[in-house]
Amino acid sequence: MTPDRALVDHVVASTGLAPAEAIRVIEDVLAFQAEPVEDFVRRRHRELKTYGAKNPEIFARIAAELRDHVVAAPHLTERQLRRLIYT
C-alpha cells in the first residue's frame, strides 16, 4: 500500500524527513494500526501477564486502551454489512 502523496508531503514538511524516510515511517505506522483487535488483545494480555498483572486488572486496562487505540476493522461479510445498515 502506497501512502497518500499529500500525507507524505505533510510529513516531509513537518518533520524535515526525506520523502523516502517519510514513506517508510508512514508505512510502519499504518502496519502498526492494521493490527486486528483480536491480535491486539492477545498481544497486550501476553505482555501484561509477563509483568505479573492479574486478569481482572489486565481486562480493565485493555478495555481502556482500546478506547483510544486504532485497530483494524474486523472482516465483515456482505450479510453483516447489510445487517448494520438495515437493522
Side-chain angles (χ1 to χ4, degrees):
M1 173 181 191
T2 304
D4 179 1
R5 188 70 216 169
L7 177 58
V8 173
D9 292 344
H10 175 75
V11 171
V12 168
S14 66
T15 65
L17 292 174
E21 293 171 317
I23 290 170
R24 190 177 74 244
V25 168
I26 293 166
E27 289 173 342
D28 286 347
V29 169
L30 292 174
F32 179 81
Q33 300 296 349
E35 182 178 29
V37 68
E38 296 87 357
D39 293 349
F40 173 81
V41 169
R42 289 183 187 112
R43 177 177 59 79
R44 286 299 290 145
H45 183 266
R46 207 171 36 250
E47 291 169 356
L48 295 168
K49 272 289 204 195
T50 299
Y51 295 104
K54 303 295 181 206
N55 278 342
E57 174 190 352
I58 290 172
F59 297 148
R61 183 159 175 189
I62 290 173
E65 289 177 3
L66 279 173
R67 284 192 287 273
D68 297 324
H69 187 80
V70 178
V71 293
H75 173 74
L76 298 173
T77 65
E78 181 178 337
R79 181 177 181 190
Q80 290 169 314
L81 292 170
R82 288 179 186 274
R83 290 184 78 197
L84 288 171
I85 294 168
Y86 298 114
T87 56

